[in-house]
Amino acid sequence: MPARVAVLVSGGGTNLQAILDFNSERGSLAASEVVLVASNRSSAGGLDRARAADIAAEVFDSTDDGSSLMALLTSCNVSLVVLAGYLKRLPASVVKAYHRRIINIHPGLLPEFGGAGMYGSRVHAAVLEAGVTTTGVTAHFVDDEFDHGPRIAEWRVPVQPGDTVESLAARVLAVEHLMYPRIVDLVASLNERDFFADF
Ligand code: GRF
């Protein structure tokens, strides 16, 4: 049985789309099935992508103690939560209930280029400002601090001479689309076997 996944989005949802496309290509071999897409923003483009794929698309109150999100996750019998451009901190109650069952993708290397306020183009601007020659994509488990839980995988990406925030963002996002669906598949298959239970 594929793991039942909820994807949380705040924006356009291109990573959500990459996961949906990957799973449909894998067919019955996919280790996960997206059963819910949820957002703190009713205008999030990711919700339209979910509706187009016939997946439940819900908006929840991200300012409460976590009970509205927990109610959604429970009603859909979700076993793995995937953050894909979700910009709010998750309440401690949700992090506790889904220990090692929540993952995130970050468009930079951690911990150097992460933390509160480090999202989207700000990450790439900080990378250019620091003058480093390598950036990357990091997938990690989520705890109740921004960009903080144990890292699962890191994919390094070169910074090229003349790069702008936009050119770097595009190179990094293309790697996210390649990497995240495979990370979701891996974590889903291992979680089903309680691989991360003591971790
Ligand atoms: C991605 O860069 C992801 O790393 C970050 O937010 C962005 C989401 O993009 N957490 P999209 O909504 O998946 O297009």
Side-chain angles (χ1 to χ4, degrees):
M1 280 282 283
R4 296 176 65 81
V5 165
V7 181
L8 305 194
V9 295
S10 296
T14 63
N15 276 287
L16 162 68
Q17 192 66 55
I19 294 165
L20 296 177
D21 293 347
F22 177 85
N23 281 355
S24 74
E25 271 166 40
R26 292 277 285 164
S28 62
L29 291 177
S32 76
E33 180 190 0
V34 178
V35 296
L36 168 70
V37 174
S39 182
N40 59 310
R41 291 180 56 227
S42 59
S43 59
L47 293 172
D48 297 326
R49 293 180 191 271
R51 291 185 195 106
D54 251 340
I55 295 167
E58 303 284 350
V59 178
F60 64 93
D61 178 3
S62 62
T63 63
D64 71 8
D65 59 356
S67 41
S68 14
L69 177 55
M70 275 307 291
L72 273 179
L73 298 175
T74 308
S75 72
C76 292
N77 204 10
V78 164
S79 65
L80 177 66
V81 179
V82 170
L83 308 189
Y86 180 66
L87 294 179
K88 297 277 183 181
R89 198 196 311 253
L90 285 180
S93 59
V94 178
V95 172
K96 192 163 173 231
Y98 280 88
H99 178 76
R100 298 293 181 264
R101 288 172 185 275
I102 310 176
I103 63 174
N104 182 41
I105 192 156
H106 182 74
L109 296 177
L110 296 176
E112 297 86 350
F113 294 99
M118 271 290 224
Y119 58 87
S121 58
R122 293 184 189 189
V123 177
H124 308 300
V127 164
L128 292 176
E129 173 75 17
V132 292
T133 53
T134 306
T135 182
V137 177
T138 310
H140 64 97
F141 288 106
V142 169
D143 62 16
D144 49 11
E145 290 179 49
F146 277 113
D147 303 328
H148 188 258
R151 281 168 277 174
I152 303 165
E154 188 176 86
W155 186 318
R156 295 185 165 239
V157 176
V159 179
Q160 285 167 0
D163 258 338
T164 60
V165 166
E166 292 71 28
S167 64
L168 201 50
R171 192 175 311 123
V172 167
L173 189 63
V175 169
E176 291 184 51
H177 294 162
L178 197 58
M179 181 174 165
Y180 210 21
R182 290 161 178 83
I183 295 291
V184 172
D185 198 77
L186 171 83
V187 172
S189 61
L190 294 179
N191 253 334
E192 290 307 285
R193 297 200 239 152
D194 256 359
F195 194 82
F196 300 113
D198 302 320
F199 169 54

